[in-house]
């Protein structure tokens, strides 16, 4: 009996080559069969097609055609963020070069829990996380900026969890204070870590109000224990940026620790034109970044930048088979304290390849491009009598609604477009009303696509 070929080793590349050709053909066929941003027919129709294509999940005898059939089915049933009309979430179209690098990561399969599973990948991670932490903290000029580091995470959720954990370990306990505009993963992390009940401040204007934070900190800090303030640079719903310098001043004055969730806005660091929006970011103890949003990476590509590397002592952990003391003393790098995970993919490879292939200028251009698109879309909406624009965009999110529509109509329009597979828009509740949300992350989108999107929405709105 012949055994299936392996992806690495001397024969790996030649075993992969024909399979890749099959995969690429299947991707192409699937996308053609879909013919739009989303498969048509809604969940029931999509599920039926997937069940048909899959058949027996674990047949008695294997099927060599499975890779073609399943990749084709997945592509046909995909929400494609590379389609200009797929603009609901912070769900970016990945760069081809990053995806190609990710293939190498899968093929080599390094695991970042010990040096002897990832000799080069662990050094690459050290270099790239250091460089990204400098992007966040270099402007401070403070001596600690040079030693700032970053942990690789599965995304903003894990980065926020780690930020709360590091804060708790630094202070014994900590109470989270954040705005109602903060990402849900923050209060969930407080629950996971059994922290005191978070204080969630109302954000009627969409961002955390310094006066409200001042009042909360006056009430909380000292008598009720240490506080971690979590601010947001790029809210998930509206792309708004909290007033970071004012919030950082308040934290400093009250002795509160500051975390900034820049899962969305962090990508602005690459843009000369937009970087100033993040002024104050460098004053946070920890910063969440998420390069599978404004970084055009395949999932997952999260990071937590940590200003003071001493904070990482909390993650120190010993497992004899991975980082025995005598191995560490003999010079083998100890990787276990860089994550709560054990086996860990080298997500850093695609990030490193992207940073070096595009350079700061190339990445900054992509950021500028999507911000400009958002501005153009907002201009279209503002000039269009059938639509109401929520506000000019801060990053690349635009909220709008058909003029005079009820919330139920807004929700129904979104579902109609989803069901037809013609456009993928998000939804957000702001100022007490429901809005359609366009999150523009596709730098290849053209103004004509945005006009087509508006036509579709208008055509799907009952009068
Ligand atoms: C997307 C997002 C997160 C969560 O990131 P995941 O990568 O989905 O885990 C956290 N915070 C903000 C502000 C986000 O937009």
């Amino acid at each position: 009996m012949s055994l299936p070929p392996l992806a690495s080793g001397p024969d790996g590349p030649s075993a992969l080559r024909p399979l890749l050709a099959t995969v690429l053909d299947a991707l192409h066929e699937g996308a053609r069969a879909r013919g739009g941003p989303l498969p048509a027919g809604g969940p029931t129709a999509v599920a039926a097609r997937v069940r048909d294509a899959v058949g027996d999940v674990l047949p008695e005898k294997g099927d060599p055609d499975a890779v073609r059939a399943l990749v084709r089915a997945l592509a046909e049933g995909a929400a494609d963020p590379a389609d200009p009309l797929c603009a609901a979430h912070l769900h970016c179209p990945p760069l081809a070069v990053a995806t190609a690098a990710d293939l190498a990561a899968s093929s080599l399969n390094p695991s970042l829990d010990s040096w002897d599973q990832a000799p080069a990948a662990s050094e690459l991670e050290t270099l790239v996380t250091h460089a990204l932490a400098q992007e966040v903290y270099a402007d401070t000029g403070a001596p600690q900026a040079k030693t700032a580091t970053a942990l690789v995470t599965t995304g903003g959720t894990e980065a926020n969890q780690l930020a709360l954990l590091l804060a708790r370990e630094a202070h014994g306990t900590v109470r989270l204070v954040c705005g109602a505009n903060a990402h849900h993963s923050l209060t969930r992390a407080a629950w996971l870590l059994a922290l005191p009940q978070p204080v969630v401040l109302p954000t009627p204007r969409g961002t955390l109000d310094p006066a409200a934070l001042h009042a909360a900190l006056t009430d909380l800090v000292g008598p009720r224990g240490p506080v971690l303030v979590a601010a947001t640079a790029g809210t998930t719903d509206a792309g708004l940026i909290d007033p970071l310098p004012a919030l950082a001043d308040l934290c400093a004055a009250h002795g509160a620790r500051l975390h900034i969730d820049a899962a969305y806005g962090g990508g602005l660091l690459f843009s000369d034109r937009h970087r100033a929006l993040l002024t104050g970011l460098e004053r946070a103890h920890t910063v969440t970044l998420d390069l599978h949003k404004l970084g055009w990476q395949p999932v997952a590509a999260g990071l937590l930048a940590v200003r003071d590397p001493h904070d990482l002592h909390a993650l120190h952990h010993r497992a004899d088979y991975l980082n025995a003391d005598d191995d560490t003393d003999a010079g083998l790098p100890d990787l276990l304290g860089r994550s709560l995970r054990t086996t860990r993919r080298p997500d850093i490879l695609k990030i490193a390849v992207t940073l070096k292939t595009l350079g700061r200028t190339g990445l900054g251009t992509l950021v500028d491009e999507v911000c400009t698109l958002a501005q153009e879309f907002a201009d279209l909406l503002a000039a269009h009598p059938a639509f109401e624009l929520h506000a000019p965009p801060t990053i690349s999110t635009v909220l709008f609604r058909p003029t005079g529509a009820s919330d139920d109509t807004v929700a129904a329009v979104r579902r109609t477009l989803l069901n037809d597979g013609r456009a993928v828009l998000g939804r957000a509740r702001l100022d007490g009303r429901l809005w359609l949300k366009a999150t523009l992350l596709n730098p290849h989108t053209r103004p004509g696509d945005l006009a087509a999107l508006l036509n579709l929405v208008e055509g799907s709105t009952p009068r």
Side-chain angles (χ1 to χ4, degrees), residues 90 155-157 160 183 185 232 234 236 261 263 290 292-293:
L90 287 160
T157 300
N160 285 341
H183 193 259
S185 60
T232 309
T236 312
D261 179 355
D290 214 345
H292 58 232
K293 292 179 175 175

Side-chain angles (χ1 to χ4, degrees), residues 110-363:
S111 179
L112 272 293
D113 47 332
S114 67
W115 184 85
D116 56 359
Q117 299 176 85
S122 56
E123 179 60 17
L124 186 66
E125 188 174 279
T126 303
L127 289 172
V128 176
T129 51
H130 181 77
L132 286 170
Q134 301 314 298
E135 284 299 303
V136 174
Y137 288 115
D139 283 353
T140 53
Q144 73 257 37
K146 295 214 164 32
T147 55
T149 185
L151 303 176
V152 177
T153 70
T154 52
T157 300
E158 188 193 351
N160 285 341
Q161 276 171 11
L162 283 169
L164 264 67
L165 176 66
L166 296 184
R168 184 191 73 184
E169 294 303 296
H171 296 283
T173 180
V174 80
R175 186 185 299 273
L176 171 67
V177 176
C178 63
N181 63 348
H183 193 259
H184 63 84
S185 60
L186 284 158
T187 47
R188 203 175 199 201
W191 162 78
L192 176 72
L193 296 167
L195 300 182
Q197 188 64 33
V199 173
V200 179
L201 303 170
T203 48
R205 285 210 291 274
T207 54
L208 195 47
D209 171 22
L213 182 65
H214 175 67
L217 291 179
T218 305
D219 181 40
L220 285 169
V221 175
R224 293 170 65 191
V227 164
L228 171 70
V229 173
T232 309
T235 59
T236 312
D237 276 352
L240 300 174
I241 299 175
D242 284 339
L244 306 179
L247 301 179
D249 286 346
L250 284 168
C251 290
H254 288 270
R257 188 177 163 106
L258 177 61
H259 170 66
I260 299 179
D261 179 355
Y264 180 9
L268 300 175
L269 284 169
F270 301 119
S271 159
D272 289 341
R273 200 187 299 169
H274 294 99
R275 190 185 171 108
L277 287 170
L278 297 181
T279 300
L281 193 68
E282 72 288 351
R283 296 179 63 190
H285 293 77
T286 47
V287 174
T288 288
L289 304 172
D290 214 345
L291 296 179
H292 58 232
K293 292 179 175 175
L294 272 189
W296 296 280
Q297 297 301 296
V299 175
L303 294 143
L304 180 72
V306 180
R307 191 172 63 191
D308 181 354
H310 294 108
D311 281 351
L312 298 187
H313 288 163
L315 297 182
H316 178 75
H317 188 68
R318 189 62 72 200
D320 201 61
Y321 76 109
L322 294 172
N323 62 351
D325 284 333
D326 55 310
D327 274 351
T328 306
D329 291 345
L332 292 185
D334 171 1
L335 310 184
L336 212 48
R338 313 260 325 153
S339 179
L340 289 178
R341 289 180 279 157
T342 306
T343 299
R344 196 152 68 72
R345 275 173 67 81
D347 288 318
I348 207 66
L349 176 60
K350 64 199 172 194
I351 297 173
V353 166
T354 300
L355 296 177
K356 199 164 169 64
T357 304
L358 276 73
R360 189 192 306 283
T361 312
L363 271 167

